Amino acid sequence: GQNIDQPTEMTATEGAIVQINCTYQTSGFNGLFWYQQHAGEAPTFLSYNVLDGLEEKGRFSSFLSRSKGYSYLLLKELQMKDSASYLCAVRDDRGGSYIPTFGRGTSLIVHP
Amino acid sequence: EAQVTQNPRYLITVTGKKLTVTCSQNMNHEYMSWYRQDPGLGLRQIYYSMNVEATDKGDVPEGYKVSRKEKRNFPLILESPSPNQTSLYFCASSLSLGGGETQYFGPGTRLLVL
């Protein structure tokens, strides 16, 4: 099984930088995803990490350390529209099925 | 347009009345799954399917059934709904489960069981 931990809620100011952490415990690690979910809407894909290091994609970056069971999502130049829930999902080899498991999500509130 | 569709989007029903939520994808994806999302609990997987006629239980399968007779469709069946199945349901699909293949989610079905 897996144990995925994220902060429940974070607040930040428009234009600032925020880092959302995700820690996990799993065997057979096979990749980590970050999704964004606005209230009442479907999750949408942000990033994928399977090797250690930083993946940068515009204002969003995601980092992974497999040895520490740790990832973070970095959001730069925050905009009001970034107010959403951010979901960390870890995929592992559950008997060969590679099913991703989601954390409970971090609700980010961006204020002016 | 590539998409995952779900119907209905909103449903109010009563305890014990069988219902089906449909899910369809037009991307020829192999893998499909159903999740429920509840406040404070996040997304939890109900059932998944690796391909036609291949389904398996996720983390919270009790009270649900699924079928995968065609590649594009993956309906979720509640034979006898109960109030604890009131939730927001998402269907998702992906080409495979390998590499960076992400899941594409449907718009969600909000279910209230009285």
Side-chain angles (χ1 to χ4, degrees):
Chain A
Q2 300 179 4
N3 187 14
I4 301 171
D5 198 30
Q6 310 177 230
T8 303
E9 187 175 291
M10 299 181 72
T11 59
T13 305
E14 193 176 14
I17 299 173
V18 71
Q19 177 175 312
I20 302 173
N21 296 326
C22 171
T23 58
Y24 63 89
Q25 295 172 314
T26 185
S27 56
F29 175 83
N30 195 258
L32 186 144
F33 297 84
W34 283 96
Y35 287 83
Q36 180 189 61
Q37 185 180 24
H38 285 100
E41 298 182 9
T44 55
F45 171 77
L46 287 178
S47 69
Y48 169 73
N49 295 73
V50 68
L51 299 176
D52 291 350
L54 189 68
E55 295 282 341
E56 297 187 78
K57 207 187 265 190
R59 293 190 300 116
F60 293 3
S61 303
S62 57
F63 172 83
L64 175 67
S65 168
R66 288 172 296 171
S67 61
K68 295 181 179 176
Y70 168 68
S71 173
Y72 67 72
L73 180 70
L74 193 71
L75 292 76
K76 302 176 188 175
E77 301 168 17
L78 279 173
Q79 302 175 9
M80 298 297 290
K81 68 178 182 179
D82 296 330
S83 291
S85 186
Y86 291 86
L87 314 179
C88 171
V90 176
R91 187 173 63 198
D92 69 3
D93 177 5
R94 294 201 226 173
S97 60
Y98 294 99
I99 305 300
T101 298
F102 285 80
R104 297 181 180 189
T106 298
S107 178
L108 174 65
I109 300 167
V110 180
H111 55 82
Chain B
E1 180 191 353
Q3 60 183 349
V4 179
T5 57
Q6 294 178 227
N7 282 292
R9 296 288 314 279
Y10 303 91
L11 180 60
I12 302 174
T13 189
V14 295
T15 299
K17 186 175 180 183
K18 180 179 178 179
L19 66 91
T20 298
V21 184
T22 64
C23 173
S24 183
Q25 50 92 7
N26 62 1
M27 296 171 279
N28 201 36
H29 283 172
E30 303 274 330
Y31 172 80
M32 297 185 75
S33 62
W34 275 103
Y35 293 88
R36 62 177 289 174
Q37 188 172 38
D38 303 287
L41 295 178
L43 276 167
R44 294 180 293 167
Q45 192 175 59
I46 303 170
Y47 267 94
Y48 65 94
S49 170
M50 303 292 271
N51 212 327
V52 175
E53 302 293 0
T55 64
D56 211 342
K57 296 177 181 178
D59 296 318
V60 288
E62 295 78 20
Y64 304 95
K65 284 174 58 177
V66 292
S67 68
R68 187 94 180 272
K69 295 186 171 63
E70 308 164 278
K71 200 171 189 178
R72 63 183 294 130
N73 296 323
F74 190 45
L76 179 70
I77 303 154
L78 285 72
E79 294 269 2
S80 183
S82 62
N84 65 12
Q85 292 179 298
T86 292
S87 187
L88 176 59
Y89 291 86
F90 288 103
C91 178
S93 74
S94 65
L95 187 60
S96 71
L97 287 177
E101 287 294 337
T102 181
Q103 293 189 78
Y104 295 85
F105 285 83
T109 295
R110 197 169 288 277
L111 172 66
L112 173 61
V113 183
L114 300 173

